[in-house]
Amino acid sequence: LTTSGNLAAVQGTNVLYNQSQETYFEWAIAVNDTVRTASYWARNAADPYPDPIAGREYDLSLGASIGNTVAPDITFLADGATDGVYNYSVVERTVYRFGLDWSGGESLFTIDGTVGAADSNWIGITYDPFTASLWLMEWQNGTQGTTVAQFGLDGTLGTSFSTGMTQTAGLAMDYADGTLWLSDEQRWYQFGTDGMSLGLQAYPDARGVPLYGNAIRGAEFAFQSVTAVPVPAAAWLFGSGLLGLIGVARRKTA
């Protein structure tokens, strides 16, 4: 997962790895066999970051980067997703598709006013291999709570639900059980794709500040191809090890 200035890997109730980002605002994240980030300020023409900024590529255990990604053609990427062939992100209300190295930026569709607040920005994104679709999430909606909505790659609206929270970020799907995880920028909440709330998890540091006091931005589990729709989880078992947001191997429970 990514925060304002950190990269971290979490599993169950534990933070396994945590480190500072190597460049400016590595918020958008896509995880496959490696972790690839894109800078929020990718091509911002204004100060203080006037030049195109590339993100970084990391092993799943993080550490020093093993290479750079490409500065995308689109700026203000706050979360990311991948289907193993392309990366995806959303800026305001438009969904974009990129190369696996974050190159390019092709517009796929724009979210109209039929779901969520008419003037809200959408910030969270994750890919659903069970239905070959994208889940998207509003950042702020103080009227009815932020919306999570499913869209086909052509922009066709599927199901949607309200989180009940006024501010959310970092949407991710756990491919082990088909549930969705999202953040209020400090804690993690698990939902079924039907909108049922299944639990929450926080990762405090020694001072008791959730995840080092940095606002969570992007998150993903390592992408996995699937062929069947899983049975929705009935409840979250704390400590089961299912939350490996950048692909750490999951522990099995009896």
Side-chain angles (χ1 to χ4, degrees):
L1 56 90
T2 63
T3 71
S4 300
N6 282 43
L7 298 171
V10 299
Q11 182 181 40
T13 59
N14 301 314
V15 177
L16 300 184
Y17 310 105
N18 174 59
Q19 65 190 50
S20 297
Q21 297 169 6
E22 289 189 356
T23 189
Y24 302 107
F25 303 109
E26 295 178 59
W27 289 358
I29 183 172
V31 185
N32 201 333
D33 54 341
T34 61
V35 178
R36 296 179 178 92
T37 64
S39 173
Y40 181 77
W41 292 107
R43 293 185 181 271
N44 185 30
D47 288 336
Y49 312 114
D51 300 319
I53 299 171
R56 298 290 187 265
E57 182 175 10
Y58 302 87
D59 287 330
L60 295 180
S61 57
L62 299 181
S65 63
I66 58 175
N68 295 341
T69 57
V70 176
D73 295 337
I74 309 299
T75 311
F76 308 136
L77 310 181
D79 191 14
T82 189
D83 62 4
V85 179
Y86 299 102
N87 291 347
Y88 301 89
S89 191
V90 57
V91 179
E92 295 184 349
R93 306 182 69 86
T94 301
V95 176
Y96 295 92
R97 182 171 65 187
F98 304 85
L100 290 178
D101 60 359
W102 284 109
S103 59
E106 173 192 4
S107 173
L108 288 183
F109 61 88
T110 297
I111 302 167
D112 61 24
T114 60
V115 62
D119 59 349
S120 66
N121 291 336
W122 292 68
I123 190 173
I125 187 169
T126 195
Y127 180 74
D128 182 346
F130 304 107
T131 56
S133 63
L134 293 167
W135 289 89
L136 301 172
M137 181 173 66
E138 288 179 292
W139 177 44
Q140 288 183 325
N141 189 334
T143 302
Q144 60 187 20
T146 60
T147 295
V148 175
Q150 183 185 33
F151 292 86
L153 297 181
D154 61 355
T156 301
L157 176 64
T159 187
S160 65
F161 62 88
S162 173
T163 66
M165 292 177 275
T166 59
Q167 185 166 299
T168 49
L171 184 64
M173 172 168 275
D174 184 348
Y175 302 117
D177 59 10
T179 60
L180 296 168
W181 288 83
L182 56 93
S183 169
D184 63 357
E185 296 195 328
Q186 293 188 333
R187 290 165 294 272
W188 286 103
Y189 297 81
Q190 186 187 31
F191 287 85
T193 54
D194 59 357
M196 179 180 293
S197 177
L198 302 175
L200 65 89
Q201 177 64 55
Y203 297 96
D205 64 8
R207 299 170 299 164
V209 179
L211 206 65
Y212 322 106
N214 291 324
I216 294 167
R217 296 304 182 198
E220 282 298 304
F221 290 82
F223 173 71
Q224 297 178 13
S225 297
V226 298
T227 57
V229 177
V231 176
W236 167 243
L237 302 178
F238 286 105
S240 66
L242 292 179
L243 187 58
L245 290 181
I246 67 164
V248 180
R250 298 176 176 88
R251 297 187 298 270
K252 294 184 178 180
T253 57

XYZ file of all heavy atoms in Angstrom, residues 93 111-120 138 141:
90
model
N -13.256 12.010 -12.698
C -14.351 11.109 -13.076
C -14.013 10.291 -14.323
O -14.885 9.597 -14.866
C -15.637 11.911 -13.309
C -16.036 12.793 -12.139
C -17.332 13.530 -12.409
N -18.464 12.623 -12.428
C -19.130 12.252 -11.342
N -18.765 12.689 -10.151
N -20.162 11.438 -11.429
N -17.286 8.641 -15.739
C -18.407 8.336 -14.858
C -19.426 9.469 -14.953
O -19.093 10.633 -14.740
C -17.933 8.167 -13.411
C -16.880 7.063 -13.324
C -19.097 7.871 -12.473
C -16.137 7.033 -12.013
N -20.660 9.129 -15.274
C -21.681 10.170 -15.365
C -22.320 10.384 -14.003
O -21.874 9.861 -12.990
C -22.721 9.827 -16.432
C -23.468 8.535 -16.141
O -23.537 8.126 -14.964
O -24.004 7.937 -17.098
N -23.376 11.165 -13.951
C -23.987 11.524 -12.681
C -25.021 10.552 -12.161
O -25.767 10.887 -11.231
N -25.087 9.340 -12.723
C -26.110 8.390 -12.296
C -25.725 7.639 -11.029
O -26.557 6.934 -10.455
C -26.391 7.362 -13.400
O -25.182 6.645 -13.697
C -26.883 8.058 -14.662
N -24.482 7.773 -10.579
C -24.032 7.081 -9.377
C -23.133 8.016 -8.583
O -22.344 8.770 -9.136
C -23.284 5.771 -9.729
C -22.039 6.052 -10.552
C -22.927 4.976 -8.478
N -23.299 8.025 -7.251
C -22.520 8.918 -6.401
C -22.986 10.352 -6.526
O -23.984 10.663 -7.181
N -22.265 11.246 -5.872
C -22.582 12.673 -5.951
C -22.226 13.207 -7.334
O -21.233 12.805 -7.938
C -21.819 13.444 -4.879
N -23.040 14.119 -7.845
C -22.868 14.601 -9.213
C -21.542 15.317 -9.426
O -20.998 15.312 -10.532
C -24.023 15.520 -9.583
N -20.990 15.928 -8.368
C -19.768 16.720 -8.521
C -18.571 16.101 -7.808
O -17.547 16.759 -7.631
C -19.986 18.137 -8.001
C -20.396 18.154 -6.525
O -20.709 17.065 -5.986
O -20.408 19.248 -5.933
N -18.655 14.836 -7.412
C -17.572 14.252 -6.620
C -16.442 13.745 -7.497
O -16.635 13.387 -8.658
C -18.104 13.100 -5.762
O -18.535 12.034 -6.594
N -15.565 6.793 -4.742
C -15.488 8.234 -4.500
C -14.483 8.541 -3.389
O -14.249 7.715 -2.494
C -16.841 8.775 -4.046
C -17.906 8.847 -5.111
C -19.204 9.366 -4.530
O -19.813 8.649 -3.708
O -19.608 10.487 -4.900
N -17.881 12.304 -0.010
C -19.305 12.493 -0.237
C -19.955 12.655 1.127
O -20.324 11.683 1.774
C -19.922 11.317 -0.991
C -21.358 11.594 -1.419
O -22.058 12.392 -0.795
N -21.790 10.940 -2.481
